[in-house]
Amino acid sequence: ISSEAISFSRNEITSREYDRNFVENAEINDLDISLVENVAEYISKGMSPEKCLQHLEIAEFDGGKLRLRKGALLLFAKEPSKWHPRLQVRILKIDGTELKTGENFNVTNDEEVTDNVINLIDSSWELLRPHLTETKFLKGGVFRNLIIYPELACKEALINAMGHQGSFAF
């Protein structure tokens, strides 16, 4: 087995364990209950938020209280930065095809959003979406917004980049 395969396997195990660990000082009040309720309703009408969290295996009832896993806080935290300080998406618009530094720094727009994962998908998409079109002056003196990149493919790329904790460039 190659060293890369061993390294990948170890990183994969660590990644899988991360969101399954319990957070001892986290309580259900730390979650956006309305967001959990929406997911619970989608899974099964009338399901309680607590039952939903247990069904998703991101919480366990130990007889005395509901214990939350990091996954619950990633998905539903009211204050995600309290639990995961780098839970964010940053969108840079650059002039040209490659990011430069120093005197040649070419970032024309730099925006960042921090939220729980469920809200982060929508809020980061709203930041990115305006950059997928450009206004062109066409024959006959007409201005039109033209799609530069297909929205569905771009949204999928954004979600993939978030899921793989990486960066992506269009």
Side-chain angles (χ1 to χ4, degrees):
I1 298 176
S2 70
S3 62
E4 291 84 10
I6 293 170
S7 178
F8 177 80
S9 178
R10 287 179 182 162
N11 288 339
E12 195 64 21
I13 290 167
T14 302
S15 175
R16 282 191 207 131
E17 291 173 354
Y18 176 79
D19 59 355
R20 290 185 176 99
N21 291 325
F22 288 104
V23 180
E24 295 307 322
N25 56 346
E27 300 177 358
I28 194 147
N29 294 336
D30 294 312
L31 304 180
D32 181 341
I33 296 301
S34 63
L35 198 55
V36 179
E37 288 171 342
N38 289 341
V39 171
E41 243 347 86
Y42 181 79
I43 293 171
S44 177
K45 294 239 184 262
M47 180 184 277
S48 72
E50 294 83 357
K51 185 68 176 171
C52 176
L53 295 169
Q54 291 175 69
H55 175 78
L56 295 172
E57 298 181 4
I58 53 178
E60 270 185 29
F61 189 70
D62 71 359
K65 70 173 201 160
L66 189 68
R67 296 179 64 210
L68 299 178
R69 297 181 188 273
K70 286 183 181 180
L73 295 163
L74 278 167
L75 291 170
F76 302 111
K78 286 181 196 172
E79 298 177 44
S81 58
K82 176 180 177 182
W83 310 100
H84 307 283
R86 302 275 303 157
L87 190 55
Q88 62 192 26
V89 170
R90 183 175 176 201
I91 297 179
L92 303 174
K93 183 176 181 181
I94 61 169
D95 184 19
T97 59
E98 64 181 86
L99 180 62
K100 298 177 182 172
T101 60
E103 288 180 9
N104 300 321
F105 187 66
N106 57 342
V107 172
T108 60
N109 194 11
D110 183 353
E111 296 177 279
E112 182 179 295
V113 62
T114 301
D115 211 334
N116 60 52
V117 170
I118 291 178
N119 290 332
L120 192 59
I121 292 169
D122 291 335
S123 52
S124 59
W125 176 245
E126 291 307 312
L127 280 180
L128 178 61
R129 194 166 184 228
H131 301 290
L132 303 179
T133 62
E134 81 182 1
T135 304
K136 292 276 191 178
F137 184 71
L138 303 175
K139 291 180 182 177
V142 178
F143 286 97
R144 286 264 165 89
N145 279 340
L146 301 176
I147 297 172
I148 302 171
Y149 304 103
E151 283 193 3
L152 187 58
C154 292
K155 191 164 189 177
E156 181 179 350
L158 175 67
I159 293 169
N160 285 341
M162 291 171 63
H164 294 287
Q165 303 171 13
S167 60
F168 189 82
F170 290 101

